[in-house]
Every structure is written in structure tokens, then in C-alpha cells.
Amino acid sequence: MKSAKKIIVANWKMNPLTREEVDAITKGSLAKAKAFKKIQMILCPPALFTQYIKAKIKKSNNVTMGAQNIAVEPQGSYTGEIGAPMFADLGITHTVIGHSERRKMGETDDMVNKKVTIALKNKLIPIICIGETVRDEEGAYLGTIKNQIAKALAGVKKESLPRLVIAYEPVWAIGATSAMEPHDVHQMTIFIKKSLIEIYKTREMLPVPILYGGSVDQTNAENLIKEGEVDGFILGRPSLNPDVLGEIMKAANTL
Ligand code: PGA
């Protein structure tokens, strides 16, 4: 399904270091988002800055905020963790789950599934990240992707699907010099849709927006949206540069 607005997830990761920089990036990003009404921007700063930034975007209707991660449990003795209900209470709308950088730190498919369940229970929209680490010629990566989707969604009812997002991010394209080719992205969006249909044993198209992430920039965004047929992007580096972010939004907004 094509979502009404193109979704732009601005994943700041563990950046920037100061509130002064936070102010500049936030101000620039909000100004850009204001100009593009067909965009829904989800700002995902480090959790520490969430409340600080949220106070600045109260009146926007196409910008909301997301968490980069939530704890695997909702509450309790988990030092250093932040639970989904806490983000929900602040008015956060989304949470990234299973980003490859977290999977690399030990996050398993089982943890991803638990987090998806907890997010949905707390009315946070999970942005479930999937992606292969290598693209082998035999096509084993397709099995990896389908498996990641099936495991992440284990126990999730079909009725909940409109309240989640899938972000396809081939790990080898994250933080790299170039993105995946738009034609290949298109193949993957088709494969992901087909996998969902198989997992849910249905014949109908399922209403899950599919995003692409990995080295999106101002030069490739238009083709990735157009040919890749994705519903938006998850951005790392460009999310810290409002000018580049604006160019990407412009490309996504016009289509
Ligand atoms: P990048 O990161 O845009 O810097 O490649 C993408 C991501 O990790 O979500």
C-alpha cells in the first residue's frame, strides 16, 4: 500500500553532543519539514534530548517524534533502559526497533519481537528494521529477510499491521558510499510485500508502509522513491544536515 504521506525517519543515532547543535539541527529540520506537506517526518534523537526537542515542535502537524530503541520489558529493574510506556507518556509516536547497529550489539530476533509487541501495546508505531548483511549470489539473503519479518511479527495480529512500518536497510549500504540500486530496492519491496502475504496466509495486499534506508542522499532520493516504490526513508547521516534533509524531502514530496 502507498501511505498517504511519505515517511522520513530522521535517525540521529548517538549525535550530536551538545544542546547548541541540537538546537541548530532541530530548527533547520523543522523549517524544511514545514515546506513539504506530503512528508511526515519522525525525529528520532538520542533519548536524552527527546523532551527538550518535543517542546519545540508542539504545533507541527507533519512532525512527530520517535525513540531509537525501547527496552525489552515495559518497566522494572533494567538499569540504563527506557521503557515504551515512558516514551508513550511523553507523546512519542514511533520507535525504531531492530536497527542493524543494535542487532550488532546483540539484539536478537526474539528481542525484536518482544519490543514490537510492547510498542504496539503502548500505542507506539514500531519501525521494524530488517536487512541482510551480505547479498550472496545464491539468494540466501531472501530467506534471511523473510525470516526476520516472520520472527519480528510472531504473534502480531493482522489487524495491527496498519500500525507498523517496515524499514528495509541492507546492512552493507548503511553508512556506505552508495545506496542500493533503485531497481534492486523495488525487487525487495515486492519481496517484502509477498512475504507478508505468505506469513499472514492471505491474498490481499497488506497495509504496511515499506521504507528504505542506507546511504540515501540528495542525488539518489528521487529515483529510490520513484523506481524503488518505497513509502519513505530512514536516514542516518542526512538527518544531521538540514540542507541535505531538505533536498531529500523535496524529492520525496513531489512524487
Ligand atoms: P545512513 O544510515 O543514512 O547514514 O546510511 C542509515 C541508517 O542507519 O538508518
Side-chain angles (χ1 to χ4, degrees):
M1 184 199 83
K2 286 266 155 262
S3 63
K5 287 187 179 186
K6 293 288 184 291
I7 300 168
I8 300 286
V9 180
N11 176 16
W12 291 9
K13 308 190 179 181
M14 202 168 72
N15 302 290
L17 299 183
T18 64
R19 274 170 297 165
E20 199 181 333
E21 293 168 279
V22 167
D23 287 344
I25 299 167
T26 306
K27 197 171 165 214
S29 305
L30 293 180
K32 299 293 179 190
K34 210 172 169 185
F36 303 115
K37 300 290 179 217
K38 294 177 202 150
I39 297 289
Q40 182 195 4
M41 180 169 74
I42 302 148
L43 266 186
C44 304
L48 180 70
F49 296 133
T50 307
Q51 210 166 358
Y52 179 68
I53 297 172
K54 177 94 187 356
K56 298 175 194 286
I57 60 171
K58 256 186 274 184
K59 292 190 195 91
S60 171
N61 59 10
N62 69 336
V63 181
T64 61
M65 291 189 68
Q68 294 180 11
N69 177 42
I70 53 171
V72 83
E73 298 292 341
Q75 181 179 15
S77 304
Y78 302 97
T79 303
E81 294 294 291
I82 304 174
M86 300 169 186
F87 284 112
D89 184 58
L90 280 185
I92 286 357
T93 55
H94 292 66
T95 178
V96 177
I97 296 178
H99 190 281
S100 67
E101 287 156 14
R102 295 209 57 86
R103 291 185 191 254
K104 213 170 148 191
M105 288 185 264
E107 194 155 305
T108 62
D109 285 325
D110 185 44
M111 289 162 79
V112 168
N113 177 245
K114 274 185 157 179
K115 291 182 182 193
V116 168
T117 309
I118 290 175
L120 288 170
K121 204 170 163 199
N122 286 280
K123 300 198 168 29
L124 294 177
I125 297 176
I127 301 164
I128 305 168
C129 298
I130 54 167
E132 75 280 5
T133 38
V134 284
R135 210 170 161 81
D136 58 304
E137 288 190 358
E138 293 73 38
Y141 64 92
L142 293 172
T144 306
I145 297 297
K146 189 172 175 189
N147 204 22
Q148 283 177 342
I149 301 172
K151 287 192 168 157
L153 295 177
V156 174
K157 294 206 174 77
K158 201 169 125 194
E159 297 71 53
S160 298
L161 293 180
R163 295 193 288 117
L164 59 86
V165 173
I166 289 185
Y168 172 62
E169 298 201 284
V171 180
W172 49 269
I174 295 175
T177 45
S178 53
M180 189 181 216
E181 289 300 322
H183 172 78
D184 294 336
V185 172
H186 189 212
Q187 279 188 342
M188 292 312 294
T189 53
I190 293 170
F191 180 77
I192 292 164
K193 284 174 191 167
K194 195 172 141 258
S195 299
L196 284 167
I197 285 171
E198 284 169 11
I199 292 163
Y200 282 89
K201 298 185 174 47
T202 174
R203 289 186 174 187
E204 54 182 302
M205 218 33 149
L206 293 163
V208 180
I210 300 172
L211 314 184
Y212 168 78
S215 299
V216 177
D217 62 26
Q218 65 277 45
T219 66
N220 57 27
E222 186 172 340
N223 279 343
L224 283 167
I225 284 267
K226 214 192 272 180
E227 285 180 46
E229 290 199 22
V230 286
D231 299 294
F233 297 126
I234 174 163
L235 308 171
R237 289 158 295 172
S239 68
L240 301 167
N241 182 333
D243 289 333
V244 177
L245 180 69
E247 288 301 309
I248 294 171
M249 284 188 189
K250 192 171 160 192
N253 190 65
T254 51
L255 295 158

